[in-house]
């Protein structure tokens, strides 16, 4: 059956080589398969997780009840105040909440990384929202349509609102950290669905709402002072001197209120408070000037002095403090944007007062040159009334105003058309 050639030296050598090549291929195939094998411990954990995942709804339901109980207890134990010397001025309940949520993530990730873990994530979002609504319920209600809301705040309330603002800012930041941790630990199939944007926005909106309440509280105080402008004898004012009493009142309200916000709030909410209050304060000042029946030349000069004093008060506001503080709010106002904003807003008030100083025969040209595009007929009529110009004389000035304004409009159109043609 065997040929002699099968036992030749050459034949035997070829068979040995073929055998060696076959063994090498089998060895490579074995190593490759070996590398693909799952770590026995990981495989065991995976099998355990898959086995119990179908029963994890019991754990989820229990976690839901436990989360609500714990959040309610955190809030129940909250004192809503803190020592002035505390370094981190946030509510204890917010710190407890974040610590608890992190614990939940760690505990669940050790049991499963699949659907049950994703459901725990949904619970975490649910109770972040639940907590933000509890904080919001502590703020005085302000209707969106209220231009001049009446909000009276005690110092105890102001301290609580500052803590709510800080805690909301803290929770918003921590939401991102919790999200990052879950994305890292959860199974790849769920990673793209892990987002907590809505809850972050809820806390961010709470920062804005709380800050607006603080603005409304100070606005309510200074409005009392500004409301006395209309009762001053500005029609016959002659004794021009230091700032008026209402300015001193405004100064007192600001110095009694703002230092707490400077020392307690972080830089972003405090900056927002200052920027918002500047607009509100100057608007109140302007509105109460326009409520006057008549303002003489002496009265206009006095209001210009008052305007400068108010301007300086607002510029100094960001530096008001109760004492040495580790807060970074002083450095946050190192730019000139805040000062420029005050200059811009107060310049409008000063322009109106300068128009009141103009003689009647130069009123139209002064108004158009100073107020420019911001001027309108109703405001011009109001200024004529403030100057005490008789109704019979107003009609002539109004006709003159309309005529000169139309000339200015036509000149602008010609200039614009010329520039377009040149381009």
């Amino acid at each position: 059956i065997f040929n002699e050639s099968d036992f030749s030296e050459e034949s035997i050598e070829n068979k040995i080589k073929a055998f060696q090549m076959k063994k090498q291929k089998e060895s490579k195939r074995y190593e490759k398969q070996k590398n693909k094998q799952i770590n026995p411990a990981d495989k065991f954990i995976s099998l355990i997780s898959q086995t119990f995942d179908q029963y994890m709804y019991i754990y989820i339901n229990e976690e839901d009840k436990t989360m609500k109980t714990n959040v309610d207890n955190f809030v129940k134990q909250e004192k809503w105040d803190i020592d002035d010397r505390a370094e981190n001025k946030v509510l204890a309940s917010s710190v407890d909440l974040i610590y608890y949520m992190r614990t939940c993530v760690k505990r669940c990730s050790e049991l499963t990384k699949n659907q049950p873990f994703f459901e725990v994530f949904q619970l975490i979002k649910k109770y972040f929202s639940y907590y933000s609504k509890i904080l919001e319920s502590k703020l005085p209600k302000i209707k969106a349509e209220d231009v001049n809301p009446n909000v009276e705040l005690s110092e105890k309330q102001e301290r609580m609102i500052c803590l709510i603002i800080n805690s909301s800012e803290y929770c918003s930041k921590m939401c991102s950290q919790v999200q990052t941790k879950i994305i890292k630990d959860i199974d790849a199939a769920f990673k793209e669905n892990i987002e907590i944007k809505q809850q972050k926005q809820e806390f961010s909106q709470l920062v804005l709402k709380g800050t607006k309440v603080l603005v409304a509280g100070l606005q309510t105080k200074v409005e009392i002072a500004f409301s006395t402008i209309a009762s001053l004898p500005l029609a016959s004012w002659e004794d021009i001197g230091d700032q008026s009493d209402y300015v001193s009142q405004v100064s007192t309200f600001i110095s009694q209120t703002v230092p707490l916000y400077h020392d307690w709030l972080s830089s972003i909410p405090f900056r927002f408070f200052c920027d918002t209050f500047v607009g509100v304060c100057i608007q109140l000042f302007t509105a109460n000037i326009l409520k006057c029946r008549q303002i003489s030349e002496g009265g206009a000069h006095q209001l210009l002095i008052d305007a400068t004093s108010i301007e300086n008060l607002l510029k100094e506001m960001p530096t008001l403090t109760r004492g040495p503080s580790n807060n970074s709010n002083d450095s946050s106002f190192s730019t000139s944007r805040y000062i420029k904003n005050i200059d811009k807003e107060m310049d409008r008030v000063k322009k109106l007062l300068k128009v009141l100083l103009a003689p009647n025969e130069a009123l139209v040209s002064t108004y158009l040159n100073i107020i420019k595009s911001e001027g309108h007929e109703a405001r011009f009529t109001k200024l004529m009334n403030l100057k005490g110009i008789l109704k019979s004389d107003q009609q002539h000035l109004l006709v003159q105003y309309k005529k000169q304004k139309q000339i200015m409009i036509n000149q602008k159109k010609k200039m614009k058309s010329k520039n377009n043609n040149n381009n």
Side-chain angles (χ1 to χ4, degrees):
I1 300 175
F2 296 100
N3 295 321
E4 258 185 61
S5 59
D6 290 337
F7 297 96
S8 66
E9 185 177 344
E10 184 181 352
S11 176
I12 293 172
E13 187 176 344
N14 288 337
K15 288 181 184 294
I16 291 172
K17 286 182 180 180
F19 177 77
Q20 288 175 337
M21 287 179 68
K22 182 179 179 181
K23 284 296 181 182
Q24 284 178 357
K25 286 181 180 179
E26 287 179 354
S27 177
K28 287 180 180 178
R29 194 181 302 117
Y30 172 77
E31 289 297 327
K32 191 175 182 182
Q33 189 65 30
K34 183 181 176 182
N35 292 335
K36 284 184 177 179
Q37 287 182 352
I38 301 173
N39 182 291
D42 291 341
K43 186 174 182 180
F44 178 73
I45 292 170
S46 177
L47 287 171
I48 292 293
S49 176
Q50 290 173 17
T51 302
F52 285 100
D53 274 358
Q54 58 185 312
Y55 304 106
M56 285 294 283
Y57 71 91
I58 300 171
Y59 169 77
I60 301 300
N61 290 339
E62 189 61 31
E63 194 71 85
D64 192 355
K65 295 175 186 176
T66 305
M67 277 191 185
K68 186 177 187 308
T69 300
N70 278 314
V71 175
D72 287 341
N73 285 337
F74 297 154
V75 174
K76 186 178 180 180
Q77 296 166 12
E78 184 60 70
K79 296 178 181 178
W80 303 104
D81 199 0
I82 200 168
D83 194 293
D84 285 294
R85 294 166 295 181
E87 185 175 348
N88 297 316
K89 292 182 170 61
V90 295
L91 294 166
S93 58
S94 67
V95 178
D96 292 337
L97 175 73
I98 298 301
Y99 178 78
Y100 175 69
M101 291 305 188
R102 283 174 165 170
T103 303
C104 288
V105 170
K106 185 175 185 295
R107 182 170 60 241
C108 187
S109 67
E110 291 172 351
L111 296 173
T112 176
K113 300 183 186 299
N114 300 312
Q115 182 66 32
F117 194 10
F118 183 73
E119 290 178 21
V120 167
F121 167 66
Q122 298 297 332
L123 290 179
I124 288 172
K125 293 205 298 182
K126 174 182 175 180
Y127 287 102
F128 270 141
S129 294
Y130 178 67
Y131 181 67
S132 72
K133 286 179 173 60
I134 292 174
L135 296 186
E136 185 176 9
S137 69
K138 294 290 182 179
L139 298 175
K141 299 294 183 290
I142 298 178
K143 294 180 180 179
E145 63 271 17
D146 284 349
V147 179
N148 297 316
N150 185 20
V151 179
E152 295 183 10
L153 300 174
S154 63
E155 183 175 341
K156 183 178 180 180
Q157 287 177 302
E158 291 173 346
R159 292 165 69 94
M160 180 188 71
I161 294 168
C162 285
L163 288 173
I164 289 174
I165 292 170
N166 290 344
S167 300
S168 299
E169 189 178 25
Y170 166 70
C171 286
S172 180
K173 291 177 181 177
M174 292 300 104
C175 279
S176 297
Q177 292 190 13
V178 171
Q179 174 180 303
T180 301
K181 175 61 178 171
I182 294 174
I183 290 174
K184 179 182 177 183
D185 292 344
I186 203 166
D187 188 83
F190 300 93
K191 289 185 186 294
E192 64 180 21
N193 294 319
I194 303 300
E195 62 85 19
I196 205 163
K197 185 178 180 180
Q198 180 184 334
Q199 286 66 37
K200 286 184 64 179
Q201 288 178 341
E202 287 171 355
F203 283 118
S204 296
Q205 285 299 312
L206 203 48
V207 172
L208 294 178
K209 287 180 181 178
T211 310
K212 287 178 180 178
V213 170
L214 295 181
V215 171
L218 185 53
Q219 176 182 348
T220 300
K221 293 177 182 178
V222 299
E223 191 170 10
I224 296 171
F226 282 131
S227 65
T228 63
I229 293 176
S231 62
L232 295 175
L234 294 171
S236 57
W237 199 279
E238 294 182 357
D239 188 18
I240 303 168
D242 294 332
Q243 65 185 33
S244 303
D245 290 341
Y246 73 88
V247 179
S248 299
Q249 282 183 294
V250 171
S251 176
T252 299
F253 290 136
I254 289 176
S255 62
Q256 288 175 345
T257 306
V258 175
L260 173 69
Y261 306 160
H262 172 279
D263 296 346
W264 279 41
L265 295 177
S266 64
S267 59
I268 294 175
F270 182 65
R271 178 62 182 263
F272 178 71
F273 167 82
C274 290
D275 285 339
T276 306
F277 180 73
V278 163
V280 167
C281 183
I282 295 176
Q283 186 179 24
L284 281 174
F285 182 41
T286 306
N288 281 280
I289 289 174
L290 296 175
K291 285 180 182 178
C292 296
R293 295 188 64 182
Q294 189 175 339
I295 300 174
S296 67
E297 185 177 332
H301 276 296
Q302 182 61 52
L303 289 172
L304 276 170
I305 292 172
D306 294 343
T308 301
S309 297
I310 293 169
E311 181 180 347
N312 292 333
L313 278 174
L314 295 175
K315 288 179 178 179
E316 294 169 2
M317 191 168 67
T319 63
L320 297 176
T321 177
R322 290 182 169 185
S325 170
N326 294 326
N327 204 319
S328 61
N329 283 329
D330 293 340
S331 60
S332 72
F333 283 87
S334 58
T335 62
S336 60
R337 189 177 69 84
Y338 176 74
I339 301 299
K340 286 181 179 178
N341 183 43
I342 295 174
D343 290 338
K344 180 182 176 181
E345 294 297 320
M346 193 58 80
D347 188 53
R348 293 187 178 122
V349 184
K350 291 180 178 181
K351 283 178 178 178
L352 288 176
L353 296 172
K354 288 175 182 178
V355 171
L356 292 177
L357 291 171
N360 291 355
E361 58 273 15
L363 183 62
V364 172
S365 59
T366 303
Y367 181 76
L368 290 172
N369 288 330
I370 291 179
I371 306 299
K372 296 180 180 178
S373 59
E374 295 178 15
H376 51 81
E377 188 176 322
R379 179 58 59 86
F380 181 70
T381 302
K382 179 60 183 176
L383 290 175
M384 287 193 292
N385 291 332
L386 287 175
K387 282 181 68 66
I389 298 174
L390 298 174
K391 295 290 182 182
S392 56
D393 295 330
Q394 285 188 19
Q395 191 59 36
H396 168 70
L397 290 172
L398 200 54
V399 170
Q400 190 179 350
Y401 163 76
K402 290 179 180 179
K403 183 179 179 181
Q404 289 195 25
K405 185 168 185 179
Q406 189 58 50
I407 292 172
M408 288 178 67
I409 292 172
N410 293 337
Q411 287 176 341
K412 283 185 178 179
K413 286 181 179 179
K414 287 181 180 179
M415 185 65 69
K416 186 177 180 180
S417 177
K418 184 179 179 181
N419 290 335
N420 289 338
N421 291 332
N422 290 336
N423 291 332

